[in-house]
Amino acid sequence: MKYTDINSKKIDSWVENGWIWSKSVSHEEYEDAKKGKYNIKLTPVKYVPKDWIGDVKGKKVLGLASGGAQQMPIFNALGAICTVLDYSEKQLEREREVQQREGYDIEIIKYDMSKPLPFEDETFDMIFHPVSNCYVEEVKPIFKECYRILKKKGRLLSGLDIGINYAFDLKEEKLENTLPFNPLKNKEHLRQMQEEDGGIQFSHTIEEQVNGQIEAGFILKAIFDDTNGVGNLHEHNIASYIATYSIKN
């Protein structure tokens, strides 16, 4: 079985067990967003600055690996024309549940983002890409595809794991691994993932991910870092993620 298929099924199981990233927005949150009152996340703790998002009314927005109905209902409430792509059927079920509850239109696509994306050139005004490429071995092709399907001056908002989580043990108390973390190439990394019920995950550096965007043609406009939200690293205010705002040149 391909590793992305393993991750798809693994995330389905997490959703069934109450995964935090599958807790969809409430009706009240949806209604508030229609009035312009909203918060939205790319990473675990910090909210995305409103000026990163801008006015999305009538704009075409893709939620890339953004299933779970935590972000796309907000964009719909703000007036965007939304598409969500995810490889977890259970995450997409959350999208359908909120769509039916609130009665709006959204294109819902189950697809593996490690493959070329199933859209024409210059389709979208914005791509919203929360932390998810840690489940994909090669990230640079994803940024190239994002550049291709965005319109000129289109925005890419990304949440990115910067790898430090994979260096530590599960309790985040001891340095355990030398990076990069890649279970497809390292049997000990694979053993840890199996023991932790973690699917198949990969570390990616800031250099790899930011340069990947720049090499694709993006202009980096802004960045912030963020913590895990819980655990030892968070308690010591050690950043484990970054969020980036980039524009298609």
Side-chain angles (χ1 to χ4, degrees):
M1 184 182 292
K2 187 179 178 184
Y3 78 87
T4 51
D5 294 327
I6 293 172
N7 284 337
S8 174
K9 293 182 180 300
K10 182 59 63 178
I11 291 172
D12 283 349
S13 72
W14 296 345
V15 174
E16 291 180 331
N17 289 322
W19 193 35
I20 187 174
W21 301 116
S22 66
K23 184 180 179 182
S24 58
V25 300
S26 67
H27 173 68
E28 291 72 22
E29 288 172 312
Y30 181 79
E31 288 296 320
D32 282 346
K34 289 169 70 174
K35 301 171 187 174
K37 302 175 184 178
Y38 71 94
N39 286 305
I40 197 164
K41 290 179 178 178
L42 285 164
T43 54
V45 179
K46 294 182 180 179
Y47 294 117
V48 177
K50 298 293 198 304
D51 61 346
W52 286 24
I53 295 168
D55 182 3
V56 296
K57 187 173 183 179
K59 303 293 186 180
K60 297 188 72 174
V61 175
L62 170 65
L64 180 59
S66 182
Q70 296 188 331
Q71 297 105 17
M72 301 318 293
I74 300 297
F75 281 111
N76 175 272
L78 294 173
I81 303 165
C82 296
T83 299
V84 62
L85 182 151
D86 203 285
Y87 205 31
S88 164
E89 183 59 41
K90 294 297 182 180
Q91 283 288 75
L92 295 178
E93 283 181 11
R94 294 288 185 268
E95 296 288 342
R96 295 187 188 97
E97 290 168 1
V98 176
Q99 173 197 23
Q100 292 167 8
R101 185 189 74 202
E102 305 299 344
Y104 60 76
D105 292 328
I106 182 173
E107 184 178 20
I108 298 174
I109 300 173
K110 183 179 180 180
Y111 193 83
D112 178 355
M113 71 173 174
S114 71
K115 300 177 180 179
L117 297 176
F119 306 109
E120 297 294 326
D121 296 356
E122 300 186 356
T123 297
F124 296 100
D125 298 284
M126 177 185 290
I127 297 174
F128 195 86
H129 179 40
V131 175
S132 56
N133 69 17
C134 51
Y135 302 105
V136 176
E137 185 178 18
E138 300 292 337
V139 296
K140 288 187 176 183
I142 297 172
F143 296 128
K144 290 179 180 178
E145 280 293 284
C146 288
Y147 192 87
R148 179 183 66 80
I149 66 175
L150 274 172
K151 299 176 184 178
K152 188 175 178 61
K153 303 301 181 183
R155 302 183 181 199
L156 172 64
L157 307 186
S158 303
L160 307 169
D161 187 303
I162 60 174
I164 194 169
N165 288 313
Y166 300 98
F168 283 84
D169 67 334
L170 193 58
K171 293 182 179 181
E172 300 177 0
E173 295 175 346
K174 181 178 68 174
L175 278 170
E176 186 170 57
N177 296 310
T178 298
L179 302 181
F181 188 92
N182 187 329
L184 300 184
K185 297 179 179 178
N186 186 307
K187 290 182 180 179
E188 172 58 20
H189 295 170
L190 179 61
R191 184 198 65 77
Q192 290 174 33
M193 283 285 95
Q194 292 171 337
E195 188 176 278
E196 297 168 12
D197 192 36
I200 307 293
Q201 299 184 36
F202 307 88
S203 68
H204 300 292
T205 63
I206 296 175
E207 177 182 351
E208 177 186 7
Q209 296 179 100
V210 172
N211 279 346
Q213 295 183 39
I214 293 170
E215 289 167 13
F218 285 103
I219 297 173
L220 182 64
K221 299 289 289 184
I223 188 170
F224 67 76
D225 53 22
D226 203 0
T227 70
N228 288 325
V230 294
N232 193 37
L233 294 177
H234 168 74
E235 290 170 5
H236 287 82
N237 198 33
I238 296 173
S240 303
Y241 303 91
I242 60 170
T244 59
Y245 163 28
S246 299
I247 290 182
K248 180 171 180 175
N249 192 8

